[in-house]
Amino acid sequence: MQGLRTIALHRQLTRPITSFHPISLRHSSTISAKEVGQSGTPEYRVFFARGDTPISPLHDIPLRIGSLYNMVVEIPRGTRAKLEISKEEKLNPIKQDVKKGKLRYVAWNYPFNYGALPQTWEDPSHVHPATKAKGDDDPVDVVDLSEATGSTGEVKTVKVLGTYAMIDDGETDWKMIVIGASDPKASVIHGLEDVEKHLPGKLQEVFTFLRDYKTPDGKPQNEFAFEGQPQDKDFAERIIQETHEDWKKLASDTTFSKIWRR
């Protein structure tokens, strides 16, 4: 059965792509994720579609649903494979990162669901005044505190609670802190102070992982602006809006030749 699904998807994705249409709220539930290849291999990909139409998770999934946001899950909680949206490949599938010819795994299991906000981009030509560093040329990263373990390719609606301003190898790398809108605690968690109240110790766990997850490989700790303190929801949403505006520039400017734009 898996082989039949893979073949059907391959035929679908190799048809000429003539147009892309933004997905509205009422159509968001029709987004599907399709695996191609075997997980744990360089060929593994997760593609996205709306009905029968292939779409890009970076460009064609809306950022917002009213006051909430869409998150694309790349790395489920409890796993180590470094999966991410491919900027360079057509349709921006999720794939496993490769470094020095080997598939990349982090040393520790992720203690949260990890992913990205669609229609955002951290501009590598812009030095952010808060971090004094340029953007990392990626969509904005998301740390999801939800109780349920996500799945690679899942698109979930989340509440933004705050953000860490991480600086990774000298680049600004925002880490948005969110919780799934359907999580049992979502009705009582509206900001960082509520996280401390209802999920005590969780923010420290997030910070420690983000700071130290590269150290087992002999790399230094990641740095943070604001002395490592997370910034509140209002600040986080301003950053999201800034990076959404940068994405609009990315999507329309033909000079960004290394990033697939439709």
Side-chain angles (χ1 to χ4, degrees), residues 117-132:
L117 291 177
Q119 297 187 352
T120 63
W121 179 59
E122 297 179 55
D123 185 353
S125 70
H126 173 64
V127 176
H128 199 280
T131 62
K132 308 297 190 294

Side-chain angles (χ1 to χ4, degrees), residues 137-157:
D137 197 25
D138 283 327
V140 171
D141 294 325
V142 183
V143 171
D144 172 31
L145 307 182
S146 297
E147 176 183 299
T149 299
S151 58
T152 300
E154 177 183 0
V155 179
K156 62 185 302 183
T157 305

Side-chain angles (χ1 to χ4, degrees), residues 191-203:
L192 298 179
E193 65 283 356
D194 297 322
V195 176
E196 284 298 297
K197 180 178 179 180
H198 296 283
L199 297 171
K202 180 58 71 174
L203 288 177

Side-chain angles (χ1 to χ4, degrees), residues 135-235:
D136 71 349
D137 197 25
D138 283 327
V140 171
D141 294 325
V142 183
V143 171
D144 172 31
L145 307 182
S146 297
E147 176 183 299
T149 299
S151 58
T152 300
E154 177 183 0
V155 179
K156 62 185 302 183
T157 305
V158 298
K159 297 171 64 173
V160 170
L161 307 173
T163 187
Y164 280 106
M166 197 172 96
I167 303 170
D168 184 359
D169 290 333
E171 297 176 330
T172 301
D173 191 5
W174 299 104
K175 306 294 185 184
M176 294 293 153
I177 304 165
V178 310
I179 190 168
S182 61
D183 187 85
K185 289 188 170 64
S187 62
V188 294
I189 295 180
H190 308 291
L192 298 179
E193 65 283 356
D194 297 322
V195 176
E196 284 298 297
K197 180 178 179 180
H198 296 283
L199 297 171
K202 180 58 71 174
L203 288 177
Q204 184 59 46
E205 179 185 43
V206 169
F207 174 76
T208 301
F209 180 89
L210 294 175
R211 183 191 63 191
D212 297 343
Y213 78 96
K214 292 183 179 179
T215 58
D217 298 325
K219 296 184 178 181
Q221 292 178 327
N222 285 317
E223 300 177 353
F224 292 80
F226 305 108
E227 299 181 343
Q229 296 302 307
Q231 301 304 291
D232 65 15
K233 176 180 179 178
D234 289 344
F235 183 93

Side-chain angles (χ1 to χ4, degrees), residues 32-51:
S32 59
K34 308 284 187 179
E35 291 181 304
V36 174
Q38 180 65 42
S39 61
T41 69
E43 295 76 29
Y44 179 71
R45 299 290 186 276
V46 178
F47 288 93
F48 293 77
R50 173 189 169 191

